[in-house]
Amino acid sequence: MIHCVKLLILAIVCVLPWSVALSKSVEGQSKENVAVMELKNSSGAKKREVTYLTSVVRQAASRLPHSKYFIMTRDNIQTMLPPGKSLEDCVGECAVETARNISAHWLVTGEVIRFGKELRISLSLLNSKSGGVRDTKTVKGKKLSDLETPLQAAALFMFASLDPSLTK
C-alpha cells in the first residue's frame, strides 16, 4: 500500500505532466498510451531471454498506428517506478495501479511458465481504467526459441483488438 501511495505522489508531481505531453499527437489529439510490462519469469529461463521476449511483444505493439497510440518504452516505465522496484515486481493489481499512475490507457502483462516438458507464454491486454481484460493470448513450444514467432503473431492479434487494421 505504501508503494502505491508513493507511486501516486510520483505520478502527480513528476510524471503526469510529462506523460500527458508525450501522448499528444501533432494535431493536438490525445493518443492512448500502451505499456508493456516485463513478462513474469516462472519458467527458470534466463532473465535476458525473458527480457528479449518482452521486447518481441513491444515490437508488436509498435505496429499500432502512431497517430493513435504511444508505446511506452521500458525506460519510460522504469523511471516512473519507486526506487528498488523493477518492472518484474509489478504484476497483478500492482501492474494495473502502475499503469494508472503512469497514464497508460492499455497495459500488457504476461508470464512465461514451464508446463510439463513445454513452455507457455500467456499475455493479457488490460484496460487500466477499469482493470478489465480486453484480450488474452497463449503460445506454447518445446524451447524458448520456438516461442518467438508465435509470440509476435499472438501479440499482433491481441493488439488488433484495439485496432483491427493490424490484421490486414
Side-chain angles (χ1 to χ4, degrees), residues 36-58 74 87-89 91 109-114 119-123 143-145 147-148 151:
V36 178
M37 304 305 279
E38 292 299 305
L39 297 174
K40 181 178 178 187
N41 183 4
S42 300
S43 68
K46 294 177 184 170
K47 181 179 178 178
R48 70 177 183 268
E49 293 171 327
V50 176
T51 298
Y52 172 75
L53 292 171
T54 302
S55 294
V56 169
V57 177
R58 256 189 217 106
R74 176 181 170 79
L87 289 174
E88 294 87 353
D89 296 331
V91 294
T109 61
E111 183 173 17
V112 182
I113 66 164
R114 187 159 300 282
L119 293 163
R120 302 272 196 278
I121 299 177
S122 61
L123 298 175
K143 54 188 191 250
L144 282 176
S145 59
L147 298 172
E148 183 178 1
L151 178 62

Side-chain angles (χ1 to χ4, degrees), residues 24-125:
K24 295 289 183 184
S25 69
V26 175
E27 301 83 25
Q29 306 261 337
S30 289
K31 294 182 182 184
E32 294 188 11
N33 294 330
V34 179
V36 178
M37 304 305 279
E38 292 299 305
L39 297 174
K40 181 178 178 187
N41 183 4
S42 300
S43 68
K46 294 177 184 170
K47 181 179 178 178
R48 70 177 183 268
E49 293 171 327
V50 176
T51 298
Y52 172 75
L53 292 171
T54 302
S55 294
V56 169
V57 177
R58 256 189 217 106
Q59 287 169 4
S62 72
R63 303 264 313 266
L64 286 163
H66 295 199
S67 61
K68 297 179 187 176
Y69 299 95
F70 175 77
I71 311 309
M72 302 178 80
T73 67
R74 176 181 170 79
D75 291 337
N76 292 148
I77 299 166
Q78 187 67 48
T79 59
M80 298 178 198
L81 296 176
K85 192 89 161 166
S86 71
L87 289 174
E88 294 87 353
D89 296 331
C90 293
V91 294
E93 271 187 46
C94 178
V96 172
E97 190 64 31
T98 299
R100 291 175 183 151
N101 292 334
I102 63 174
S103 300
H105 298 86
W106 300 100
L107 172 72
V108 177
T109 61
E111 183 173 17
V112 182
I113 66 164
R114 187 159 300 282
F115 189 76
K117 294 185 179 188
E118 292 187 326
L119 293 163
R120 302 272 196 278
I121 299 177
S122 61
L123 298 175
S124 296
L125 177 62

